[in-house]
Amino acid sequence: MEILLLGTGSADGWPNPFCRCDSCRSAEVVRGQTAALVDDVLLLDCGPEAPRAAVRYGRSLDTVRHILFTHGHWDHVGPMALLMRHWTGAGAPLDVVGPASALVLCRDWVGPDDPVRFVEVAPGDDVRLGDYRVRVLAAAHGSDLGADAVLYDVSRGADRIFWATDTGPLPDATLAAVAGAGYDAVFLEETFGNHTGHGTEHHDLPSFAATVAQLRASGAVVEGTDVVAVHLSHHNPNEVELTAVLADSGARPGRDGEVVTPGQRRATRTLVLGGVRSGKSAHAEGLLAGEAKVTYLATGGVREGDTEWAERVRLHRARRPASWQTVETIEVAEALRAAESPVLLDCLGTWLTARMDLHRVWDDGALDGVNRDIDEFVDAWRACPTVAVAVSNEVGSGVVPPAASGRLFRDLLGVLNARIAAESDDVVLMVAGRPLRLPAQ
């Protein structure tokens, strides 16, 4: 399966567009209403924002043959999508599946000759939709809807996922039904963060942790399960703190536009490129969000008397989980070879600058020492025994630097980036906070 997260936010998203709270003002990731597109064929919820999100992420919905609604709340059911489809003259059949509260909102948006089949479901149902087996499970949500909200256990071949939004702590019948499932991925709602007095049928951080623990104890969540928190709101702390708290449960926050591929081998070496303030460091940190312990190789060093640099360093340190170990060093080859836990190296540009300073390249222009350092770094990157993520500046897209030293640095960093990319499993280019995965050669 391929699951594209069209949205990972609550009804009002995160940040809330009308809010100026600390959580909203500090949000580095914009999250829309929670929905997902599976294999370009099956939609899990389809609120009013989902169709446009699909287009934004380069997908068409013309191949969708099944829509699964969890309940009738407006952020999960956007029936206008059915009319949009009708206007194109679509002739392919479409299954619209969900509890009565959701389907009643959709029926008037379908023309009499539209090839749309409504399938009303309830907890305990087991239905076949094309290549997918869908088990319908009870949610703890929606007393204002007649208490008919549902969750979905979706499998295709050997892949199996659990779509669990919206719900509070899972009913006993649902916990029993998922026992031993060994899901590849679980998408579990976590709406209220540190606000535990909400009195609603949603999860907050403590109840989320308790539910994940129950799923682990029952064998629904196993060692390889990707546990992704969705339906996130501004009641949560900032991204870095949230990531650290979720990591304690072996979970992580989902991000809009993220593609989850159950069973795919995790990249062991990832290079994240980007310009200034492109979001490259935050994205790199997010890649290791689920790791309890990470060695952060900070290559920028300490610049005595530079208050602006000191503030940058302070902010970077403040957003890292407390369990991460920061090592200030430019001897990165040795650190990579000796790594016993995942490594995040930030960044190649400051490392290269330090090596050029060390070899006095700016004085005599001799590059032999720097070239040897680059060779050693590439060898160590290739041999690193743990998961490793490196951040680097993409400096080749701007104007030609006016000074010879600037041109030399640009050229050497371009060479270093290309060599590290060639030895990486995954290369991501960050543009305006959006990750673009670069294809292999």
Side-chain angles (χ1 to χ4, degrees), residues 110 139 167 229 247-248 252 264 302 319 326 343 360 375 393-394:
V110 174
T167 184
D248 290 338
R252 62 181 183 81
Q264 186 179 72
V302 178
R319 75 186 189 194
T326 299
V343 172
R360 306 182 67 85
D375 289 342
N393 309 101
E394 178 48 64

Side-chain angles (χ1 to χ4, degrees), residues 33-44:
Q33 296 159 358
T34 293
L37 177 62
V38 180
D39 300 328
D40 292 331
V41 172
L42 185 148
L43 268 173
L44 290 165

Side-chain angles (χ1 to χ4, degrees), residues 234-253:
H234 67 160
H235 293 291
N236 280 283
N238 66 60
E239 187 86 8
V240 174
E241 184 179 341
L242 173 63
T243 297
V245 173
L246 291 175
D248 290 338
S249 298
R252 62 181 183 81

Side-chain angles (χ1 to χ4, degrees), residues 269-274 278-285 287 344-348 381 389-394 417 420 424 426-430 435:
R269 288 179 294 275
T270 301
L271 174 62
V272 181
L273 300 165
S278 62
K280 57 186 182 296
S281 293
H283 181 78
E285 291 165 7
L287 293 176
L344 196 161
L345 191 159
D346 195 352
C347 74
L348 300 191
W381 178 254
V389 178
V391 177
S392 189
N393 309 101
E394 178 48 64
N417 286 345
I420 293 298
S424 297
D426 206 4
V427 180
V428 177
L429 175 65
M430 296 297 298

Side-chain angles (χ1 to χ4, degrees), residues 390-411:
V391 177
S392 189
N393 309 101
E394 178 48 64
V395 296
S397 301
V399 298
V400 176
S405 58
R407 294 192 293 273
L408 176 60
F409 172 78
R410 176 202 61 183
D411 293 347

